[in-house]
């Protein structure tokens, strides 16, 4: 192993990122060192690249970005018990305390002491990353290649948010077709939804939603946005797409005030709404007409269940229930980071997978010998 | 039986009510005629008495008011199958179609063809009322006297709204201590809640909440309402009452914008909110900070489950789980209707029970002979 | 309309059935008369044909058999409110009281006063059948032809039993691949199951299960049934098919003692079992090892939710979520009833659809004009 | 601190226990050393005392027994992060791996690598015990004294098993009134159950059940056990106690075949059964009549949720929802262990609390200064 490695860093308190050589990370007694095979870009990374207000408050340069990845373990600390050199892994991006009320009751995604990889400490846009053993997630090299394994982290959010309501036989509206919205369309269709209706203001995204199985798509920018009856265009379209009736379940993935309003208006009486997209300012809601008199169940969700969502995610991907390949609209190298960020900022890409270099290492051999007994040890445990 | 009866009617399109003699109701083939033993006053009746905007749009005088009651069946129509003369009964106040999606899936409280007794057709503030067999609810005279039986209708709303979330071992905030809020306090305490914190702007109501078991009470009008830190006083008090932490479950029963805001602010991360009080205008909600980042489950509820809530209601009352007697702050006669309305409008009463006359008839004999077999026939069926 | 009609009856207390001309049914004030377009045969009908012990105790000949069908309304009684002449309909086969605890709480499938069509009163193996309005189910002629509409009744059982557990991302074992088992395979695959493993002792059925999407199939009769390690062959195969681990969810549809034992043994710790197949005698269960130490959730289910399962059923069929066509292994006429029963008794058919005569009437025009408003009236209501 | 301590050990492979002086436990880097203030005796300890077949297979003497306790931390290992000297604590008795499917999805009570304190390694019947930090449970000295804190471990089982079904307004049968059954009676009554009916074959236990709130009690040994109608006496009594109807929820805590049979027979159609008592041999169950045709939901449960049940347990005890004091039928010293075991074996005690010596140390000062901020650190976190 060399003494330095290539990494993508926010080097200074200003827009942009730099690809540079940095020292290899130090491996603590409870850590494992992973050689990164593939990483993928999250919207959060775009915010940090832009150096927006949130980033300026949260990020302390210099820092290596990135929290979605897959790779192979090359070294383990002295106290590590469940991970071995050679294991093919990804990781939960939230390092949590493990002892608080939230961590101890399956709600670690709300741990008040959370540190996020690539945000609060060095991340995975590097040839190597050191991570605590307890966030490591074992992959099965026979079933999921690195470019899909890296997507488990964001796909897990969609699995959590989409399957929080039972969808079998239901009509489902998906408002907002960024990566999470497109994931949601695929999950809903594969989980027995009778019909999935998708809306967005970018046609490129709507085409992807269609590829993932949307039965009908709608762009309010291409239509009369007013709706003409006091409701907005999206509300009207959803109800029309559903033959004149309210939709059973609406997944709000846009984070726009208009999207949230449409969600509450287009859902049927007794229906269910998931709020997942994050609005940038307070929203005025007609609580009486659009919530209480409708007898709604509303889930406001953020993140994913650690590790419940991960298992469901793995099983859906390994079982071929949802195919994420169409959503990897580009595969690039670390050196192309500016190009990648430009495409994402322009709404011309869905998920972009990055490789450290042109000839990324092969993981096909990794853990490919796994017997059930080994699986138990290495954690590729389905369920004992 | 006389040819006429005493009834309380909205006689004309103007404020107030009149007590007058009217013809006995006609009994259709599917109807039963009930002699009213006791009735109770709902907030809706106060609205109609005041002749507010909503009433002016909905009510078509002359009409007999009232939808909460208990009495004895004195006549049945030719097609009636499950009700007998002598049965001691109350009734679901919503006459629903029975065939729509909502009615056929246990959500009849959302039937789009609903007619409300005492609002859309003649009600129970009369010596006799004719009702379709399928809204009739059998009471057990050995266990529930008329002044409690009449409270089943509104208490059922509280049972539905309060027990929609599991409360055992939880801390519960109740915002708004009108009758439903006071019912909720009693239900929560009797259902294993660790602590119940109650708030209202009327001290009289808070005293009743305390009687029903509230561990702590708060009136923002008697305290610094601002909270002094950007949150309102109610939010701060709830968190302090809970030793500095967010509350597990908040039941919003006030319908005020401030109450709704407090509910979302005072609930813990991962907590649950029930919205039951109906606000009169849209509410601005910080969806990101106070809903999504908190991972909330929100139920917006209206009415009660027909008849699921009724069974739970009966069993809690018959089993002595909650004692409603302290909430009957007055018992009056039909002739006292103006006095009753005045007390309610002034916030000086919780539930008022009305009797047709000073010597109301005795129901102690009614159905008191009920054997399990008879019970099956008459519908006092626990569960076959 | 003629004065008589062709019908399939159990004419006497002996094996077999007769096709004969009988008087048209009388239409009561709350009834509708339906001209049958298609009917399908249930296992119960085979029992009655055989005149087994259960039939001898329950059936009172002469009686017209059959309870699965679709057809067009040709006459309505005077009190009928929600059904019109020309409506294209099927029906819930259980006529329930509507007033008991079970009926009033969404559990009408447990009503103690239930009368079953074609078992306790004349059924649908006839040119015409008279049924009470409140069991009528409206179909949409644009979306579901009669040969599929008739399958809604039994398919609804599978929808209820299969979707009672969340299946997204789970591994599912289906033991017993009669019609309900084959339906279950299709529903599970379409509802996000990661893998579905199906077992039966008849190869013909296993082939159908494969057509419906089973990932792997197993016939213990073709293999070593002992399992060789104290477990039976089915248990071993299920665990091997699942890579050495217990299965997340097992649906027991065989009703055999061995199937039930396999279900409890093959499910993982913390897993879920649905018991739907009805065993003919008590079963010895290792409650400690195979239930309690495994922390199981067990649903013992019978029938379907009235009408909750019907709506889910409709939506899954209309949405094309599951295609039932491969399971209609024969379409025959009433006159072929002996042949049909022979095929079923021999395990050489899955579902058989019967038509009154070669040229069955056309339903394509029926209700094809339905506007949302009409739909509301006629009950093809998705959800208001 | 002395170099040796008093402890109760299984010293040799034979019946009985010895109180002897042993070396203080070694404190590893992730361990904390606790001075025991109070411990309580579990049925498992009685089995080990008797040296029954299960004990002979599982226990490797010499070993210190005991897994229910409360005490004060006196020393911490170098890697310990969340526990401080002076903390007043108890512990989860199952040391689990933290990385397997079960541990990572809130089902650690099914971790296949579990080690039980006092069974697989030295336990708490000693003046001091060393335990890994991650099983430590912080108590609040202001609210729960040691003799109650030690009961949290077994009470948590009852909390889990009893509240797994919603009990508000329901009728509940508890079969078997050992400690867990008596806990269950108290929890059910405090959680809104309409009526609780308790049965056991020991009158002493039934009296305790009554003290905990049972509405009616029954001992089949004092009555006609046959029931006289093909059902057993317990089944008949439960149905009669419930006015002739099946019971909504039955909690089987006896582990006897007769108890399990009664549970399935006495529960109503559509009712719920929890199997918690562990039978010593397989049980014959009429799956068709008593499970499937009844449409039952059955939970077979073992242990408790780590740490979900602990939080609920704490909150119910701190909130005064259930008072466990009546169930501590004796308080003794370590030296009295033979007497204690004798009382338990004879069915003459419910819970027995042991103290290391007559003048057990005072925990009143421990952690009594806890501010919300400290609480966060030390883990007495309600919920952040």
């Amino acid at each position: 192993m060399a003494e330095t490695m290539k990494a993508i860093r926010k080097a200074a308190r200003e827009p942009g990122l730099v690809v540079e050589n940095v020292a290899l990370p130090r491996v603590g007694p409870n850590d494992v060192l992973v050689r990164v095979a593939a990483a993928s870009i999250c919207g959060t990374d775009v915010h940090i690249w832009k150096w927006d207000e949130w980033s300026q408050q949260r990020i302390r340069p210099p820092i290596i970005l990135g929290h979605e990845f897959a790779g192979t373990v090359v070294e383990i600390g002295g106290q590590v018990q469940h991970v071995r050199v050679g294991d093919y892994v990804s990781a939960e991006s939230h390092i949590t305390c493990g002892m608080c009320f939230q961590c101890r009751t399956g709600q670690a995604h709300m741990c008040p002491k959370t540190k996020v990889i690539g945000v609060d400490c060095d991340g995975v846009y590097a040839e190597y990353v050191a991570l605590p053993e307890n966030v490591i997630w074992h992959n099965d090299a026979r079933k999921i290649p690195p470019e899909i394994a890296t997507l488990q982290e964001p796909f897990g959010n969609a699995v959590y948010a989409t399957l929080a309501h039972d969808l079998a036989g239901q009509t489902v509206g998906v408002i907002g077709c960024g990566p999470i919205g497109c994931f949601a369309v695929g999950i809903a269709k594969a989980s027995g939804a009778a019909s999935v209706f998708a809306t967005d203001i970018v046609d490129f995204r709507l085409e992807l939603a269609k590829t993932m199985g949307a039965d009908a798509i709608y762009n309010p920018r291409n239509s009369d946005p007013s709706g003409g009856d006091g409701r907005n265009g999206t509300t009207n379209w959803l109800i029309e797409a559903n033959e004149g009736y309210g939709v059973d379940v609406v997944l709000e993935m846009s984070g726009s005030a208009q999207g949230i309003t449409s969600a509450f208006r287009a859902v049927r009486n007794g229906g269910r709404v998931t709020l997942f997209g994050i609005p940038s300012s307070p929203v005025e809601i007609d609580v009486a007409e659009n919530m209480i008199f409708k007898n709604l169940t509303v889930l406001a969700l953020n993140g994913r269940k650690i590790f419940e969502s991960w298992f469901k995610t793995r099983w859906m991907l390994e079982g071929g229930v949802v195919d994420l390949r169409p959503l990897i609209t580009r595969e690039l190298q670390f050196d192309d980071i500016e190009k990648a960020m430009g495409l994402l900022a322009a709404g011309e890409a869905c998920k972009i997978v990055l490789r450290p270099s042109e000839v990324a290492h092969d993981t096909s051999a990794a853990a490919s010998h796994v017997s059930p007994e080994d699986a138990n040890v290495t954690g590729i445990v389905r369920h004992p």
Side-chain angles (χ1 to χ4, degrees), chain A residues 6 23 45 47 59 76 83 95 100 150 181 200 275 292 295 367:
Chain A
K6 186 184 281 191
D45 301 320
H47 284 285
I59 306 298
I76 61 172
V83 180
I95 302 173
C100 72
T150 182
D200 200 289
L275 300 176
I292 294 177
N295 275 284

Side-chain angles (χ1 to χ4, degrees), chain A residues 97-115:
Chain A
C97 82
M99 282 287 280
C100 72
F101 165 69
Q102 305 287 9
C103 282
R104 281 186 151 182
T105 59
Q107 308 180 75
H109 58 307
M110 290 178 252
C111 170
K113 297 179 191 161
T114 298
K115 270 177 39 184

Side-chain angles (χ1 to χ4, degrees), chain A residues 200-274:
Chain A
D200 200 289
I201 53 174
V202 178
D203 286 336
F204 171 80
R205 290 174 173 168
L206 288 172
E207 286 309 315
L208 287 173
K210 210 165 180 179
T211 303
M212 295 306 286
D215 294 281
I217 56 175
Y218 175 77
N219 185 338
R221 297 231 168 130
N222 299 343
S223 317
D224 174 13
S226 74
D229 57 356
R231 299 193 297 200
N232 59 36
T234 298
T235 301
N236 281 0
W237 177 79
L238 280 168
I239 291 172
E240 276 162 35
N242 197 32
E243 306 190 0
Y245 303 108
V247 174
D248 294 308
V249 179
V250 181
L251 308 175
E252 209 305 305
M253 305 294 198
S254 77
S256 72
Q258 210 164 9
I260 292 171
T261 301
S262 300
F264 286 122
R265 282 183 175 163
V267 73
R268 72 162 168 90
N269 288 350
R272 292 156 286 152
V273 170
T274 295

Side-chain angles (χ1 to χ4, degrees), chain A residues 131-207:
Chain A
L131 296 168
E133 174 185 21
N134 62 13
V135 298
I136 291 296
W137 180 252
H138 283 88
N139 299 316
D140 187 335
R142 297 167 302 167
K143 297 180 181 166
I144 306 187
E147 65 273 18
I148 299 296
T150 182
L151 298 183
Q152 291 175 99
E153 202 262 5
F155 184 63
N157 286 5
V159 165
Y160 175 43
T162 305
L163 294 176
H165 292 300
D166 171 32
L167 302 182
Q170 307 293 293
T171 52
V172 180
V174 177
I175 298 178
C177 292
I180 303 294
C182 284
F183 289 152
V185 169
I187 295 164
K189 278 305 282 187
S191 302
S195 306
V196 176
F197 312 120
T199 79
D200 200 289
I201 53 174
V202 178
D203 286 336
F204 171 80
R205 290 174 173 168
L206 288 172
E207 286 309 315

Side-chain angles (χ1 to χ4, degrees), chain A residues 4 13 67 103 121 127 129 158 160 168 172 196 236 287 342 353 355 367:
Chain A
T4 64
R13 302 188 59 80
H67 56 272
C103 282
C121 56
E127 289 179 280
V129 60
Y160 175 43
V172 180
V196 176
N236 281 0
V287 171
V353 169
R355 310 265 183 182

Side-chain angles (χ1 to χ4, degrees), chain A residues 252-331:
Chain A
E252 209 305 305
M253 305 294 198
S254 77
S256 72
Q258 210 164 9
I260 292 171
T261 301
S262 300
F264 286 122
R265 282 183 175 163
V267 73
R268 72 162 168 90
N269 288 350
R272 292 156 286 152
V273 170
T274 295
L275 300 176
F276 197 82
I278 300 167
S280 52
S281 45
V283 181
E284 195 181 77
I285 298 175
D286 191 339
V287 171
E289 281 306 320
N290 290 330
M291 293 184 75
I292 294 177
F293 291 142
K294 289 185 113 169
N295 275 284
L296 296 190
T297 300
V298 180
L299 298 180
L301 299 179
N302 186 235
R304 66 197 155 269
K305 286 213 156 187
I306 303 167
F307 283 86
E308 223 172 283
S309 302
W310 279 89
F311 280 97
K312 223 170 204 177
T313 292
R314 163 193 287 166
W315 297 335
M316 296 194 88
L317 293 177
E318 288 185 2
V321 177
V322 180
D323 179 10
L324 302 185
R325 241 163 267 272
L327 299 179
I328 303 175
T329 51
R330 291 305 270 267
E331 297 208 34

